[in-house]
Amino acid sequence: MTHEDREDPVLLHTEGRVRHITLNRPGALNALNHTMAVRIDAALADAELDDSVAAVLITGAGERGLCAGGDIRSIYEDARAGGGTSMDFWRDEYRLNARIARFPKPYVAIMDGIVMGGGVGVSAHGDVRVVTERSRVAMPETGIGFVPDVGGTYLLGAAPGELGTHLALTAEAVGAGDALLCGLADHFVPSQRLAELTADLAGCGTAAEIEQTVRRYASPAPDGELAAHREWIDSCYGADSVEEIVDRLDSSGVPAAKQAAETILTKSPTALKVTLSALRRARGLDSLEAVLDQEYRTSCTAFTRPDLVEGVRAQIIDKDRDPQWSPAALAEVTEADVALYFASLGDRELGLAAAPSMTA
């Protein structure tokens, strides 16, 4: 890799008829920033109109992961300074998520290693989503006083039963088997075969050929953990409030459920309540675009609240893992507090659901 490559956060090249997009911030686990979101969006717009390109493949530089999420440090500094550049970033990032979901050519995502938050947004909306034995997939937002975004509430809301609610509230990371079970991925390919797979994809010219090639390399994923817990997950997380969910988990008599309750109670009380409401509302919306519009409201509101700065401080900056949430308890978060996160932003609305399609 040249010095110029090391400085460029998004690398583009073409092999055969496949346009490669590589997230190139390996030292930051390829964390996504505004520049990268704009560059990826432009690359997709170009690939869509280029008849020589049959498919797009997104990967992450290095061996630790595709993308660990958004650039949380930048968001933290922006929020502390009372700025607003993060909202501009989210506007473009969510538009990118929608473009990926509607992209008219096969969009292949290699979800190797860590794939969290914004990393899920640039992969799990694709057509062909490949996980490996190293994959760790999560929407960890409640742990930093934030709410799942990048279409995360759309994806988790569509997971079987209440699995998505469990993942959203606990912020739990899952491996390949559970990612497949939850509908966040399509195929398991051992990491040692990724180079061969990538080379063979270069010769593919149609969606059918892409799918057939991936299937040749795919194998059964290692067993996940969630399938064995479906009974208590569906029962406990079907409750109407976070308090009732925690009570059911705690009194279920199942050790894993009790542990989940304990985990949930370490997260931001406000983020938990807003997340549950967002998931339930997302299930009633008719498109990813409508969900992204909703997520933009929750993100912009969370940006102005104390828990986001405090959560990032505790988890990323000082790393004391002791956030002082405000309010500190679930009972102190009112319905009115939650409703504020879903209020119209007026002329600052994202407006994706009302916008014309971004694809030809």
Side-chain angles (χ1 to χ4, degrees), residues 141-161:
E141 288 76 11
T142 57
I144 57 166
F146 200 50
V147 180
D149 65 336
V150 299
T153 59
Y154 179 86
L155 294 164
L156 295 177

Side-chain angles (χ1 to χ4, degrees), residues 20-31:
H20 288 240
I21 300 174
T22 304
L23 307 186
N24 187 41
R25 295 182 68 204
L29 280 173
N30 300 317

Side-chain angles (χ1 to χ4, degrees), residues 324-349:
Q324 302 302 302
W325 304 121
S326 178
L330 287 167
E332 298 172 19
V333 182
T334 68
E335 291 184 11
D337 293 333
V338 174
L340 285 174
Y341 283 75
F342 300 92
S344 171
L345 299 174
D347 59 6
R348 295 189 298 117
E349 282 283 307

Side-chain angles (χ1 to χ4, degrees), residues 18-22 55-59 106-110 198 201:
V18 177
R19 181 69 46 84
H20 288 240
I21 300 174
T22 304
V56 166
L57 175 72
I58 188 164
T59 58
Y107 182 98
V108 183
I110 304 299
T198 300
L201 287 174

Side-chain angles (χ1 to χ4, degrees), residues 106-346:
Y107 182 98
V108 183
I110 304 299
M111 301 169 69
D112 186 32
I114 295 174
V115 185
M116 297 184 178
V120 173
V122 297
S123 59
H125 297 298
D127 304 291
V128 182
R129 305 162 302 173
V130 176
V131 284
T132 75
E133 77 284 354
R134 302 187 297 203
S135 296
R136 300 298 295 168
V137 184
M139 295 300 294
E141 288 76 11
T142 57
I144 57 166
F146 200 50
V147 180
D149 65 336
V150 299
T153 59
Y154 179 86
L155 294 164
L156 295 177
E162 295 293 338
L163 291 176
T165 310
H166 172 67
L167 296 185
L169 297 186
T170 61
E172 179 179 323
V174 297
D178 286 328
L180 292 165
L181 173 65
C182 292
L184 300 173
D186 304 300
H187 303 284
F188 172 80
V189 176
S191 59
Q192 67 266 25
R193 304 204 70 192
L194 291 178
E196 294 175 80
L197 168 62
T198 300
D200 274 3
L201 287 174
C204 297
T206 66
E209 290 173 352
I210 292 281
E211 183 69 24
Q212 289 166 5
T213 299
V214 174
R215 286 185 180 278
R216 281 205 309 273
Y217 285 88
S219 57
D223 289 338
E225 300 176 6
L226 294 178
H229 299 307
R230 277 294 301 278
E231 184 174 354
W232 64 259
I233 286 177
D234 290 350
S235 174
C236 295
Y237 288 96
D240 293 331
S241 70
V242 179
E243 290 95 327
E244 177 64 20
I245 288 173
V246 171
D247 285 345
R248 290 187 185 185
L249 290 168
D250 203 39
S251 62
S252 68
V254 179
K258 186 175 180 63
Q259 182 178 355
E262 293 171 355
T263 297
I264 289 170
L265 290 175
T266 67
K267 313 304 180 187
S268 159
T270 301
L272 289 168
K273 287 199 170 184
V274 175
T275 294
L276 181 62
S277 182
L279 282 169
R280 300 285 163 83
R281 291 170 183 244
R283 288 173 176 169
L285 297 174
D286 62 2
S287 67
L288 170 62
E289 287 80 2
V291 174
L292 288 165
D293 286 345
Q294 174 177 277
E295 291 179 349
Y296 189 67
R297 297 180 198 113
T298 60
S299 295
C300 288
T301 304
F303 183 75
T304 67
R305 297 298 189 266
D307 276 4
L308 176 59
V309 168
E310 175 60 10
V312 177
R313 180 208 64 76
Q315 301 297 337
I316 307 296
I317 307 300
D318 296 338
K319 299 183 180 178
D320 58 29
R321 307 292 192 265
D322 186 28
Q324 302 302 302
W325 304 121
S326 178
L330 287 167
E332 298 172 19
V333 182
T334 68
E335 291 184 11
D337 293 333
V338 174
L340 285 174
Y341 283 75
F342 300 92
S344 171
L345 299 174

Side-chain angles (χ1 to χ4, degrees), residues 1-8 24:
M1 184 179 290
T2 67
H3 175 72
E4 183 179 355
D5 285 345
R6 288 195 295 271
E7 296 297 318
D8 193 337
N24 187 41

